[in-house]
């Protein structure tokens, strides 16, 4: 597979290299702390957080937290001993949380293109390993581009989970990012990520605005395009987990964005082997996931309660059968293929309902 061209122009005639440099400058120099952000696009919504994650967050170094710019919570369930890759890891906040949840036998890799952010993350490795009581480090931070993970030595099928927190919008070539994520995932692996989406394709004025790029808006993907790109790359159809509207609250930027609506949404995509696609089924959750013993809210359409029989469509049956969740479910053939419909922000966020 050919490597992405870092100096090529996007469809807008802007070079990818220019976008990378402007974003690096914004996050390396312009922003020194979370309060410097000009919109709420890169701010995590205030929603309930599982106790294990809250406890893990409290053990993360103050400087790492102060340089965090995320739009969601990218902490999926069932992480023990997993190998996790964080695309756009920034100062390392999410990596250090994940480090605790995968345990000392797991591993977390963070990659970011901004040297200043990577340096902050690396600076505190020893502090965190001592804080967590680990004999050896289970985290590493690399400087590089998520469009070409091979440049930093990441090999095929080497990770169980790929996460990303409000960063794919900063990449000029979204297809390359998803293609690389798919490549490094093991069969049955998951890409679990929060990002910013638009309810329409963006105007040239928005796409060429440097501050809107830095604030995660100019690179927002039209949400329908996520579905087509995921299918093209080979992923399962996107499963919407959560969605929250974004308010800009900046008159100058609002004039430029016009009537475009933005949303922060978390999706999960799976690398499902063809051998796992055997039709719809019935599943029973055995309650084996720590912190989700009584019910597992898998996405906006499926909540699995311990001991309850649930009919699932062929896609969900294949996902559960091939992924790290397989041991947590009793899965049998049958059921109907008429499970709940899927759709980005379906019935939840104004302007994003599926037609």
């Amino acid at each position: 597979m050919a490597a992405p061209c870092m100096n090529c122009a996007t469809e807008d005639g802007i070079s990818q290299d220019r976008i990378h440099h402007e974003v690096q400058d914004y996050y390396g120099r312009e922003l020194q702390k979370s309060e410097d952000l000009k919109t709420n696009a890169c701010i995590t919504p205030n929603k309930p957080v599982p106790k294990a994650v809250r406890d893990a967050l409290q053990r993360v170094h103050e400087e790492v937290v102060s340089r965090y710019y995320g739009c969601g919570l990218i902490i999926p369930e069932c992480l023990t001993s997993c190998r996790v890759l964080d695309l756009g890891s920034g100062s390392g906040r999410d990596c250090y949380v994940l480090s605790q949840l995968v345990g000392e036998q797991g591993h977390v890799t963070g990659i970011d293109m901004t040297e200043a952010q990577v340096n902050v993350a690396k600076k505190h490795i020893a502090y965190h390993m001592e804080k967590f009581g680990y004999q050896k480090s289970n985290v590493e931070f690399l400087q590089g581009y998520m469009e070409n993970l091979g440049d930093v030595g990441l090999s095929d099928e080497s990770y169980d989970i790929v996460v990303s927190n409000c960063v794919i919008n900063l990449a000029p070539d979204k297809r390359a990012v998803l293609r690389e994520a798919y490549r490094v995932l093991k069969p049955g692996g998951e890409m679990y990520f929060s990002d910013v989406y638009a309810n329409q394709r963006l105007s040239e004025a928005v796409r060429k605005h440097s501050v809107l790029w830095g604030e995660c808006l100019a690179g927002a993907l039209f949400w329908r395009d996520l579905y087509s790109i995921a299918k093209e790359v080979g992923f399962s159809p996107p499963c919407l987990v959560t969605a929250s509207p974004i308010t800009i609250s900046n008159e100058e930027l609002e004039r430029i964005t016009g009537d475009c609506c933005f949303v922060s949404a978390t999706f999960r995509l799976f690398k499902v082997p063809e051998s796992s696609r055997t039709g719809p089924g019935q599943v029973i959750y055995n309650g084996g996931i720590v912190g989700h013993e009584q019910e597992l809210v898998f996405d906006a359409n499926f909540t699995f309660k311990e001991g309850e029989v649930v009919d699932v469509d062929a896609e969900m049956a294949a996902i559960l059968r091939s992924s790290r969740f397989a041991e947590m479910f009793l899965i049998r053939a049958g059921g109907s293929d008429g499970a709940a419909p899927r759709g980005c922000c379906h019935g939840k966020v104004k302007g994003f309902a599926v037609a």
Side-chain angles (χ1 to χ4, degrees):
M1 183 183 297
C5 175
M6 292 294 114
N7 293 306
C8 293
T10 66
E11 294 176 358
D12 314 312
I14 313 171
S15 77
Q16 295 186 36
D17 191 55
R18 173 186 160 186
I19 293 172
H20 281 143
H21 280 302
E22 288 184 351
V23 171
Q24 284 173 312
D25 186 69
Y26 199 74
Y27 283 86
R29 298 181 184 180
E30 185 80 12
L31 299 181
Q32 295 300 314
K33 55 187 182 302
S34 303
E35 290 76 11
D36 294 334
L37 291 163
K38 297 173 177 61
T39 72
N40 76 339
C42 298
I43 297 174
T44 303
N46 186 21
K47 293 185 177 180
V49 176
K51 184 178 185 302
V53 178
R54 290 200 309 270
D55 293 344
L57 280 166
Q58 290 177 357
R59 290 186 283 267
V60 178
H61 194 281
E62 181 181 351
E63 183 182 10
V64 170
V65 173
S66 72
R67 295 291 296 269
Y68 160 78
Y69 317 107
C71 68
L73 184 65
I74 47 97
I75 310 295
E77 317 82 5
C78 202
L79 292 172
T80 304
S81 299
C82 286
R83 287 181 54 82
V84 182
L85 171 64
D86 183 0
L87 303 178
S89 52
S91 62
R93 191 204 74 159
D94 292 336
C95 286
Y96 286 124
V97 172
L98 291 162
S99 166
Q100 299 171 72
L101 299 177
V102 301
E104 196 167 3
Q105 301 309 309
H107 183 82
V108 180
T109 301
I111 181 169
D112 199 276
M113 67 178 179
T114 306
E115 183 179 10
Q117 289 282 74
V118 173
N119 287 342
V120 170
K122 286 182 174 180
K123 175 181 172 183
H124 299 293
I125 290 178
Y127 167 88
H128 287 100
M129 295 309 103
E130 181 179 355
K131 188 86 170 176
F132 305 160
Y134 292 172
Q135 297 300 308
K136 58 183 178 67
S137 175
N138 72 342
V139 297
E140 63 176 336
F141 295 99
L142 308 171
Q143 185 178 357
Y145 297 101
M146 55 188 168
E147 296 97 325
N148 195 0
L149 300 174
D151 279 355
V152 291
L154 302 190
S155 57
D156 296 357
E157 300 184 358
S158 52
Y159 289 93
D160 300 293
I161 305 166
V162 172
V163 299
S164 182
N165 196 336
C166 198
V167 177
I168 296 175
N169 64 82
L170 300 175
D173 190 345
K174 273 78 168 169
R175 280 181 179 80
V177 176
L178 265 65
R179 203 160 46 231
E180 281 290 85
Y182 188 88
R183 178 182 68 80
V184 302
L185 279 172
K186 299 174 184 178
E190 176 183 12
M191 183 175 184
Y192 187 95
F193 63 109
S194 293
D195 219 275
V196 177
Y197 299 90
N199 69 337
Q200 59 187 263
R201 292 190 175 89
L202 302 176
S203 69
E204 183 177 358
V206 173
R207 295 193 306 264
K208 291 188 174 182
H209 197 284
S210 60
V211 172
L212 288 174
W213 266 104
E215 291 285 324
C216 305
L217 299 176
L221 195 64
F222 174 39
W223 68 262
R224 288 186 185 274
D225 289 342
L226 172 65
Y227 284 73
S228 60
I229 294 172
K231 181 178 180 180
E232 174 188 323
V233 168
F235 278 115
S236 61
C239 299
L240 174 68
V241 180
T242 61
S244 303
I246 289 171
T247 56
I248 298 176
S249 301
N250 181 304
E251 290 186 7
E252 179 186 350
L253 299 181
E254 285 175 343
R255 282 196 298 271
I256 298 168
T257 57
D259 62 354
C260 185
C261 296
F262 297 91
V263 65
S264 167
T266 299
F267 283 97
R268 52 198 332 163
L269 310 176
F270 286 85
K271 184 176 181 175
V272 179
E274 282 301 319
S275 59
S276 296
R277 300 182 183 278
T278 59
Q282 291 185 323
V283 303
I284 301 174
Y285 175 47
N286 68 16
I289 300 175
V290 176
H292 305 271
E293 291 85 357
Q294 296 187 347
E295 73 173 24
L296 172 64
V297 181
F298 193 84
D299 64 10
N301 292 319
F302 289 104
T303 294
F304 302 107
K305 295 185 178 181
E306 182 187 14
E308 183 177 274
V309 179
V310 179
D311 285 344
V312 296
D313 59 15
E315 197 66 52
M316 182 57 67
I319 286 171
L320 295 177
R321 187 178 293 114
S322 64
S323 69
R324 67 188 187 282
F325 295 99
E327 294 182 1
M328 306 300 172
F329 285 83
L330 172 64
I331 306 171
R332 59 196 183 203
S336 66
D337 207 9
R342 300 189 183 282
C344 174
C345 315
H346 182 73
K348 290 185 176 292
V349 180
K350 183 180 179 181
F352 286 81
V354 175

